[in-house]
Amino acid sequence: MCGIVGFVGQEQAAPILLDGLRRLEYRGYDSAGIAVCGDGAIQVSKTRGRLQALSDLTHGGADLTGSLGIGHTRWATHGEPNDINAHPHLSRSGRIAVVHNGIIENYMELKLQLMEKGYTFRSETDTEVVAQLLDYYYAGCGDFFEALTCTINIVDGAYALGIICADYPDRIFATRKDAPLLLGYGKDGNYLASDVTALIRYTRDIVYMDDGELAILSDKGIRIYDRMLRPMDKEHHHIDWEIDAAEKGGFAHFMLKEIMEQPRAIREATAARIQDGRVVLSDLTMTPEQIRGIRKLYIVACGSSYHVGMVGKYNLEKLLRRNVEVCLASEFRYSDPVVGEGDLVIIISQSGETLDTMAALREAKKRGARILSIVNVVGSSIARESDDVLYTWAGPEIAVATTKAYSTQMAVLNLLGLYFGDVMGTTDYETYSNAVKGILALPEQMEKILAAHDQIRELAQMCVDHDDVFFIGRNLDYALSLEGSLKLKEISYIHSEAYPSGELKHGTISLIEEGTPVIALGTYAPLFDKAMSNVVEVQARGGQVLALTTESHAAAMSERVDAVIAIPDTEPMLLPQLGVVPLQMLAYYIALARGCDIDKPRNLAKSVTVE
Ligand code: M6R
């Protein structure tokens, strides 16, 4: 939520800030702004709307002169998206500007205290409190660094802050707590950003800031201080993502590009982890004794990552013959969870920054559980706080609706299940070796599904003009239907629900009427006949059924339903890996036909760093 950039160096800052914000826009896109320090004063330009509006307003940044500045792209929390609530926020003196990602939880109390001291506020944001607090302390002590430490000592909540002060025209101040922030070391200057995608055009030499740290950036270098304000050195990371990976590369949307990238992404996530027919997880530090000693497994995540966990529950319970509990991170953290020593908590997150997931991780860790995370963004907070990390190696995912991250998370979780099953002695040789062969075949099978995108574009017409679409399925098909339904609703704004087929008759079937589109998932062979019975039930109520099944069941399914999408046959545990691809494309083409803003759906942001 919200993207921050900062630059100090030899070049004009504004165009660099706008370019960085363009790459961070997926984090929030209801308003944007920049502040540049030049000629001893701060100039601010900000506006409601997309980044293009800011770029137009500033003539591509040419209107603001100076080689130091900060920028922000916003996902509104406090106060509607308008010009005034957009960041940066200025102190009353106009000499301090602040950009912020996160939420200052005690802002109202602080605001009232400042108002008693005569401060007035222009915006409804929590962030403006930070700007005015800095002003207040700075006026009192005359030392900006001291004012900053006083301010962060008094604010509660989550924050990544980029700050400039006209009295220090060569410096950017930065700090973070529970919100991502990283520092970039360039040839022509130094950088601050919420995410590496903003920086890879300028530098690949990165330092991740940790909670409580402070940094002062100048064009000569970056000084970092720990929580005790002692200067410190931090490990540098080299980012090897290709610049093209964060560009659309000729596709109409990032989502389509990322759907199409899945065969490659799956290959990268799996191929190096399979050697001579065996799963090799060299990045895992758990010993066989520790694996065999696992008392209980939890999978904790949000959104689509949680849906991966739902698929994982079916697969891991089969492979490990142990109970696997799948929890929504936002619920887990406040549920007084029965988790502790001997338990393994598998955290799944594309961004590695989702606040609820991070909080759940900390809760589980505090209670003594071991944490293994499956993460895409290298060096992200979740990755750094876990005992073990398995990266998904999907490359940058820009579209808000996740696609390749979902598939690669599932691929890695399946590998983990097979690896654990082997070590625990609970997975038989045939299951293991068939699954390994199946995983290696997935990229090619996905390519075949992707090649049939025209058929899916046509079938999308079945749903385009409807207000409600239902997804039904059993077992793995149910777990997959959750993701199909979320994809559809988040980008097309069509109301959609996913139901276990057997549960329909306990209430929901009353919503099926003449013409209601029902996407019936029937890929899981052991329950194919049951899936068919449920298809018949919805058809009897007038439902218009689009079925997803395997090639070997397509003929039988076609006899009953309005339309069929067939995926290649594979091992049962791998069916959702293939099945998700047509569901993603279906959502994409429906949203396209409805004229939706596919990569940046309304009210959403890619990385959810608020509660
Ligand atoms: O970065 P994370 O995987 O932790 O994000 C979790 C969810 O916010 C995310 O999966 C969300 O549901 C997707 N954007 C849906 O497409």
Side-chain angles (χ1 to χ4, degrees):
M1 307 253 136
C2 303
I4 290 179
V5 287
F7 170 73
V8 47
Q10 308 294 330
E11 318 268 318
Q12 284 300 307
I16 294 174
L17 298 174
L18 289 174
D19 181 62
L21 290 179
R22 185 168 66 78
R23 288 158 213 282
L24 291 183
E25 206 181 4
Y26 68 92
R27 298 179 66 88
Y29 34 84
D30 58 45
S31 47
I34 52 177
V36 171
C37 191
D39 293 333
I42 292 177
Q43 314 134 64
V44 173
S45 194
K46 53 186 191 170
T47 178
R48 184 205 161 112
R50 295 292 162 88
L51 191 68
Q52 191 55 46
L54 179 67
S55 183
D56 294 346
L57 183 72
T58 59
H59 301 95
D63 292 357
L64 293 87
T65 50
S67 56
L68 173 148
I70 50 178
H72 189 266
T73 176
R74 180 173 187 241
W75 185 87
T77 56
H78 296 66
E80 64 170 283
N82 61 25
D83 295 359
I84 294 173
N85 289 331
H87 299 213
H89 289 284
L90 283 174
S91 63
R92 77 171 169 192
S93 64
R95 299 192 61 76
I96 300 167
V98 176
V99 289
H100 167 219
N101 171 23
I103 290 183
I104 306 297
E105 283 166 3
N106 59 342
Y107 85 103
M108 196 41 100
E109 179 192 327
L110 296 170
K111 188 169 177 171
L112 292 173
Q113 288 170 11
L114 285 161
M115 285 166 86
E116 275 170 22
K117 294 180 185 8
Y119 280 82
T120 53
F121 286 79
R122 300 179 197 99
S123 76
E124 300 155 87
T125 65
D126 51 338
T127 307
E128 194 180 354
V129 167
V130 176
Q132 308 295 21
L133 272 177
L134 284 164
D135 185 275
Y136 171 72
Y137 286 121
Y138 183 45
C141 69
D143 178 333
F144 197 71
F145 194 66
E146 192 180 325
L148 177 56
T149 55
C150 292
T151 301
I152 58 176
N153 283 342
I154 199 171
V155 296
D156 290 336
Y159 50 80
L161 292 166
I163 301 161
I164 57 175
C165 172
D167 297 344
Y168 297 79
D170 56 349
R171 282 175 232 184
I172 300 176
F173 298 84
T175 185
R176 67 155 267 180
K177 180 174 162 276
D178 295 337
L181 201 57
L182 51 91
L183 306 164
Y185 295 74
K187 272 209 271 335
D188 300 319
N190 293 308
Y191 303 81
L192 179 71
S194 303
D195 186 330
V196 286
T197 47
L199 302 189
I200 44 178
R201 237 187 102 187
Y202 306 99
T203 180
R204 284 153 186 287
D205 183 5
I206 300 294
V207 163
Y208 295 98
M209 288 185 75
D210 284 302
D211 282 356
E213 292 172 357
L214 286 159
I216 302 178
L217 295 80
S218 71
D219 73 335
K220 308 257 171 339
I222 303 179
R223 276 179 287 144
I224 307 174
Y225 300 86
D226 67 11
R227 306 165 182 264
M228 309 303 293
L229 304 182
R230 292 173 300 214
M232 64 187 297
D233 289 324
K234 293 206 65 168
E235 186 190 350
H236 285 232
H237 295 260
H238 178 78
I239 305 299
D240 52 14
W241 283 353
E242 296 298 328
I243 291 181
D244 297 357
E247 302 284 349
K248 273 194 226 150
F251 286 92
H253 297 97
F254 276 111
M255 183 179 177
L256 184 60
K257 175 182 176 241
E258 288 158 6
I259 289 173
M260 295 296 180
E261 278 174 353
Q262 288 178 107
R264 183 200 52 75
I266 293 289
R267 215 171 266 130
E268 295 205 352
T270 57
R273 289 172 167 143
I274 297 177
Q275 288 165 21
D276 302 326
R278 302 209 68 76
V279 178
V280 180
L281 298 180
S282 45
D283 26 10
L284 192 72
T285 64
M286 286 180 84
T287 62
E289 290 66 39
Q290 285 171 325
I291 293 169
R292 283 192 279 268
I294 295 172
R295 201 176 60 169
K296 189 167 172 191
L297 285 125
Y298 291 80
I299 302 178
V300 183
C302 296
S304 295
S305 299
Y306 167 78
H307 295 159
V308 170
M310 291 293 286
V311 172
K313 176 181 170 69
Y314 288 103
N315 286 342
L316 265 58
E317 286 189 345
K318 270 217 169 77
L319 295 169
L320 310 182
R321 302 315 303 152
R322 273 176 171 70
N323 182 254
V324 178
E325 204 168 312
V326 191
C327 308
L328 286 164
S330 52
E331 290 296 315
F332 180 88
R333 60 183 296 198
Y334 295 122
S335 66
D336 191 9
V338 188
V339 61
E341 222 164 294
D343 296 336
L344 180 71
V345 174
I346 302 173
I347 296 280
I348 307 181
S349 176
Q350 186 285 128
S351 61
E353 300 292 350
T354 303
L355 188 72
D356 284 322
T357 311
M358 185 72 201
L361 178 160
R362 287 181 178 161
E363 186 62 41
K365 207 170 178 181
K366 197 172 79 194
R367 291 170 187 247
R370 188 180 174 100
I371 311 293
L372 185 160
S373 64
I374 297 177
V375 173
N376 190 36
V377 178
V378 176
S380 54
S381 305
I382 288 176
R384 284 179 295 136
E385 291 200 23
S386 301
D387 298 304
D388 280 290
V389 190
L390 295 176
Y391 283 113
T392 49
W393 298 331
E397 189 180 66
I398 309 292
V400 165
T402 183
T403 52
K404 62 175 180 173
Y406 173 92
S407 320
T408 50
Q409 287 168 348
M410 205 190 293
V412 171
L413 192 56
N414 283 336
L415 290 175
L416 184 71
L418 289 166
Y419 184 80
F420 277 5
D422 186 31
V423 174
M424 289 175 178
T426 48
T427 304
D428 63 71
Y429 174 75
E430 199 185 337
T431 308
Y432 183 94
S433 58
N434 287 345
V436 168
K437 279 187 213 131
I439 290 170
L440 291 172
L442 284 174
E444 232 170 276
Q445 292 180 312
M446 280 183 161
E447 272 156 14
K448 189 171 168 197
I449 299 170
L450 292 169
H453 61 91
D454 282 341
Q455 181 215 1
I456 296 175
R457 185 201 287 259
E458 268 170 44
L459 293 176
Q461 293 310 316
M462 280 175 74
C463 303
V464 169
D465 296 323
H466 287 267
D467 296 327
D468 306 284
V469 173
F470 290 85
F471 284 73
I472 57 170
R474 286 172 182 263
N475 197 278
L476 283 169
D477 283 326
Y478 165 58
L480 174 58
S481 74
L482 293 168
E483 179 61 8
S485 171
L486 178 64
K487 280 291 83 81
L488 181 66
K489 71 185 120 190
E490 71 175 323
I491 61 167
S492 75
Y493 316 143
I494 294 176
H495 165 250
S496 168
E497 289 188 42
Y499 261 86
S501 316
E503 188 62 19
L504 270 187
K505 56 188 167 298
H506 297 290
T508 310
I509 201 162
S510 65
L511 295 171
I512 307 292
E513 51 188 39
E514 203 55 46
T516 305
V518 177
I519 317 258
L521 277 56
T523 68
Y524 186 60
L527 295 177
F528 182 76
D529 293 340
K530 302 268 177 216
M532 287 298 271
S533 324
N534 300 126
V535 162
V536 175
E537 282 163 16
V538 292
Q539 280 184 321
R541 273 88 190 167
Q544 201 193 2
V545 179
L546 167 56
L548 177 76
T549 189
T550 51
E551 284 168 355
S552 59
H553 287 91
M557 188 64 102
S558 309
E559 284 171 21
R560 285 248 40 121
V561 301
D562 298 278
V564 174
I565 299 171
I567 56 168
D569 287 271
T570 181
E571 289 306 301
M573 67 176 274
L574 304 177
L575 286 164
Q577 290 260 242
L578 296 180
V580 75
V581 178
L583 298 184
Q584 294 164 343
M585 287 203 285
L586 200 60
Y588 175 81
Y589 285 120
I590 293 170
L592 190 68
R594 287 167 67 93
C596 298
D597 190 346
I598 293 179
D599 284 339
K600 300 189 188 90
R602 68 185 179 205
N603 306 338
L604 291 174
K606 181 75 179 162
S607 170
V608 185
T609 52
V610 293
E611 265 197 72

